[in-house]
């Protein structure tokens, strides 16, 4: 999914979604170097998700030892 930064308003970036609607995203949630007109790509990182799930499972298992 891609968002285009339309403009900045205070602490928010107003971005245009692929379906041509506009939403506000906190400025802190986008790269600091981003500027009006830039395209932001959002994706799911399945590999990172799996690594974190595994780490959480390991932590849980270490807490609840029989």
């Amino acid at each position: 999914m891609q968002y285009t930064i339309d403009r900045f308003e205070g602490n928010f970036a107003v971005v245009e979604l692929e379906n041509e609607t506009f939403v506000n995203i906190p400025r802190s949630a986008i790269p600091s170097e981003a500027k009006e007109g830039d395209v932001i790509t959002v994706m799911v990182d399945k590999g990172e998700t799996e690594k974190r799930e595994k780490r959480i499972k390991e932590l849980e298992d270490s807490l609840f030892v029989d």
Side-chain angles (χ1 to χ4, degrees), residues 2-66:
Q2 294 183 324
Y3 305 152
T4 304
I5 300 173
D6 183 67
R7 64 188 179 279
F8 293 100
E9 292 183 357
N11 292 326
F12 292 93
V14 180
V15 299
E16 183 177 6
L17 306 179
E18 291 174 329
N19 65 2
E20 299 180 357
T21 60
F22 291 83
V23 297
N24 295 333
I25 295 179
R27 212 169 184 166
S28 60
I30 63 171
S32 60
E33 70 273 9
K35 61 186 185 317
E36 292 177 1
D38 282 349
V39 175
I40 299 170
T41 301
V42 179
M43 59 180 237
V44 176
D45 186 336
K46 296 278 188 187
E48 184 64 26
T49 301
E50 289 173 5
K51 282 182 5 185
R52 290 177 185 213
E53 287 173 343
K54 181 180 177 189
R55 178 70 180 133
I56 290 169
K57 175 82 170 101
E58 289 170 353
L59 289 170
E60 287 174 343
D61 289 347
S62 72
L63 290 172
F64 302 107
V65 177
D66 290 340

